[in-house]
Amino acid sequence: MAKVLLIGDTHADLHCINKIQSKHLDCIITIQLGDFGFWDTWDWPKYRDGKLKFLHPTYVVPGNHEDPRQIE
């Protein structure tokens, strides 16, 4: 049975997503439920540009703490 990992409110601590994913390697995808942290600071540009990657596909539901310019 395929498992989906649900997490939320990481607030731009993108490394914590990989940390959590490493404890749930049996999951096939992660859905980050709001307040991901799409800010031009931190490591977001490295993830956006593919220099850093999550352990498995990660989808994001935007929350109220996102920078709309980064989402676009």
Side-chain angles (χ1 to χ4, degrees):
M1 172 182 281
K3 294 183 180 181
V4 175
L5 177 61
L6 301 173
I7 59 175
D9 295 287
T10 54
H11 293 278
D13 186 359
L14 304 182
H15 296 296
C16 84
I17 295 174
N18 272 336
K19 220 173 172 182
I20 294 167
Q21 287 176 340
S22 71
K23 295 177 183 180
H24 301 278
L25 293 175
D26 57 335
C27 294
I28 60 166
I29 66 168
T30 296
I31 300 176
Q32 206 287 338
L33 300 168
D35 299 343
F36 175 77
F38 287 107
W39 300 309
D40 217 6
T41 57
W42 304 82
D43 287 322
W44 168 239
K46 293 176 189 170
Y47 282 92
R48 181 191 60 219
D49 298 338
K51 294 176 184 167
L52 293 175
K53 296 184 184 261
F54 296 115
L55 295 177
H56 42 76
T58 302
Y59 299 89
V60 176
V61 177
N64 63 325
H65 288 269
E66 314 300 359
D67 180 344
R69 294 169 296 170
Q70 292 300 315
I71 295 171
E72 290 173 7

